[in-house]
Amino acid sequence: MMTDLFSKFDALIEQREHLLSTGLTDPFNLVMERVESPTVAICNGQRTILLGTYNYMGMTFDPDVIASGKQALDDYGSGTTGSRVLNGTYAGHKACEEALKTFYAMDHAMVFSTGYQANLGIISTIAGKDDYIVLDIDSHASIYDGCALGNANIVPFRHNDVEALEKRLKRIPDGAKTLVVLEGVYSMLGDIAPLKEMVAVAKAAGAMVLVDEAHSMGFIGEHGRGVAEAHGVIDDVDFIIGTFSKSVGTVGGFCVSNHPKFEILRLVCRPYVFTASLPPSVVATAATSIGKLMHGADKRAHLWDNSQKLHAGLKALGFTLGTETPQSAIIAVIMPDLEKGAAMWDALLREGLYVNLARPPATPANMTLLRCSLCAEHSADQVDQILGMFEAAGRATGCID
Ligand SMILES: Cc1ncc(COP(=O)(O)O)c(C=O)c1O
């Protein structure tokens, strides 16, 4: 018999065909035909409010950000065609790393081509075969992939459970080197980690700590440095990972650290060395955006108002949410199953609202979620419109009474 390496996808193909046979728009294949602003796009020919972009601070259309990208295109061309360790480090890459060092008040910053590669590279390079990585079970795929690439021993603990972390750390063999990996905001349910307690427990056990602040940078903490800043433990964290694809409003990833030997990573981190660096226009937009995020207190306050208003409104309508109170700019609406979730997603799109449909295996506990992420550029009026759309779609699909 002929081998068909695709047979393992049969169940998924069948499930997908079944879902689409009901006439729904494919939730994983939507085209943004035109994008007007951080909060509005044209989808299926219709003006659509965007509520699933992670564009928390709305920097994608910031005039200064756009101007710096255009200038870099003119001055440096469209791409570097090279690795950071060969011909791919331009003045703009260094300027972007300087902007990160200033933003976080840290000694070192290393820019990667994506946040995924930052986790992949840093985790796999610092924790290898005989080392241990203790991580929250709900960690992002890029964290798990980083663990797998480095071939470290993986010890997961129950989501956001400080005692479970402590117990796992006690079971690590004496003398083994350990990295604890945490996230500031968990992107599926929008809940934040008890970093103050967790970092204390990790440090007491002699472990190093890496925190992925992908969903908190720019928004959480007095200077927008993330949950570690908000919880007063940023100086105890060894490595912060982040992305340019959310609050910064472009693409790219990074790690910042005060570790005195950090710079050696540039020579030994494979996902940094064996790939081309970001285009000059991208690092220019990132550097400008990061500089502006340092002074984003008003935007942070407005984003917080939006999150609270949407959370309270959805709760009042009768939806079940991922958190009891809003903890971040992500609000997850829990759907009873994939069919209902897809129907609700489709009904919202028809109303003129885009949210993310999230399903297992990306979600915890097999949940189907409609993930909403707010933007500092959403007006109060847009949040009211969003609530009206949830009410109409919820009634039409029987998700609420
Ligand atoms: C927690 C977390 N880490 C890392 C990433 C990867 O970021 P990027 O989009 O820059 O690859 C994401 C993005 O989905 C994320 O949610």
Side-chain angles (χ1 to χ4, degrees):
M1 210 177 82
M2 253 270 288
T3 305
D4 182 4
L5 290 165
F6 277 58
S7 56
K8 54 181 160 295
F9 307 126
D10 285 351
L12 184 61
I13 291 170
E14 203 178 303
Q15 185 194 53
R16 190 177 144 76
E17 280 171 357
H18 171 70
L19 211 66
L20 297 182
S21 70
T22 57
L24 300 182
T25 303
D26 183 349
F28 305 112
N29 222 350
L30 186 70
V31 177
M32 304 275 148
E33 288 144 16
R34 222 173 60 233
V35 181
E36 291 183 358
S37 74
T39 62
V40 174
I42 307 297
C43 303
N44 287 343
Q46 191 187 355
R47 202 161 181 278
T48 304
I49 296 181
L50 300 173
L51 189 68
T53 62
Y54 309 119
N55 191 358
Y56 299 119
M57 298 293 277
M59 299 307 282
T60 50
F61 280 77
D62 180 276
D64 297 329
V65 169
I66 290 176
S68 62
K70 284 182 175 163
Q71 190 65 52
L73 261 176
D74 284 346
D75 293 349
Y76 293 96
S78 57
T80 69
T81 71
S83 158
R84 284 295 304 275
V85 296
L86 297 174
N87 58 307
T89 294
Y90 286 17
H93 296 82
K94 293 316 268 182
C96 190
E97 287 172 344
E98 286 304 315
L100 283 165
K101 281 163 38 178
T102 306
F103 182 88
Y104 282 100
M106 293 225 182
D107 295 340
H108 305 281
M110 196 166 154
V111 167
F112 290 76
S113 298
T114 63
Y116 178 91
Q117 280 163 283
N119 270 329
L120 198 67
I122 295 292
I123 295 172
S124 66
T125 309
I126 61 179
K129 195 167 137 309
D130 298 320
D131 303 324
Y132 282 76
I133 297 176
V134 182
L135 80 172
D136 189 296
I137 197 154
D138 288 351
S139 293
H140 190 260
S142 56
I143 292 173
Y144 275 106
D145 292 357
C147 297
L149 186 67
N151 209 12
N153 300 291
I154 302 173
V155 184
F157 65 90
R158 212 169 81 128
H159 177 56
N160 269 351
D161 186 332
V162 182
E163 262 178 47
L165 166 62
E166 198 165 19
K167 273 193 200 145
R168 294 286 179 275
L169 282 167
K170 284 202 172 120
R171 281 197 228 142
I172 305 287
D174 261 358
K177 295 191 176 67
T178 308
L179 176 69
V180 170
V181 179
L182 306 166
E183 293 179 36
V185 171
Y186 284 86
S187 68
M188 285 298 148
L189 296 178
D191 52 336
I192 63 171
L195 281 191
K196 193 177 174 64
E197 295 79 5
M198 287 188 157
V199 171
V201 162
K203 288 282 141 177
M208 283 188 147
V209 179
L210 178 151
V211 180
D212 181 335
E213 298 271 19
H215 293 273
S216 33
M217 181 195 184
F219 174 38
I220 295 179
E222 190 189 347
H223 302 92
R225 292 175 186 150
V227 179
E229 181 189 28
H231 289 192
V233 291
I234 197 159
D235 292 336
D236 302 322
V237 170
D238 297 279
F239 309 97
I240 291 178
I241 294 281
T243 175
F244 298 159
S245 72
K246 305 188 196 304
S247 283
V248 178
T250 176
V251 67
F254 65 87
C255 179
V256 291
S257 173
N258 283 327
H259 196 290
K261 298 179 190 166
F262 186 77
E263 295 297 325
I264 197 65
L265 292 178
R266 293 189 199 268
L267 295 184
V268 291
C269 179
R270 294 166 70 87
Y272 178 83
V273 173
F274 293 102
T275 196
S277 63
L278 287 167
S281 55
V282 169
V283 283
T285 54
T288 303
S289 178
I290 292 162
K292 291 191 85 165
L293 288 177
M294 289 181 68
H295 310 288
D298 290 351
K299 276 191 162 197
R300 286 191 262 284
H302 180 63
L303 180 53
W304 199 235
D305 286 346
N306 280 347
S307 302
Q308 281 168 326
K309 186 171 175 179
L310 185 67
H311 192 284
L314 289 173
K315 209 168 162 183
L317 286 172
F319 288 103
T320 308
L321 305 182
T323 57
E324 208 31 56
T325 52
Q327 297 183 17
S328 69
I330 299 173
I331 293 166
V333 183
I334 302 174
M335 292 284 108
D337 53 43
L338 181 59
E339 276 73 21
K340 262 282 197 272
M344 179 72 186
W345 180 88
D346 188 70
L348 284 172
L349 189 68
R350 282 169 208 270
E351 288 286 327
L353 182 66
Y354 172 76
V355 299
N356 296 146
L357 178 66
R359 44 166 290 175
T363 52
N366 263 345
M367 281 191 257
T368 297
L369 303 172
L370 294 178
R371 274 187 319 160
C372 309
S373 51
L374 285 138
C375 175
E377 295 293 320
H378 281 127
S379 63
D381 184 50
Q382 277 178 318
V383 178
D384 285 334
Q385 285 179 53
I386 289 167
L387 285 168
M389 290 165 173
F390 260 98
E391 183 170 17
R395 296 238 160 88
T397 54
C399 286
I400 52 169
D401 301 328

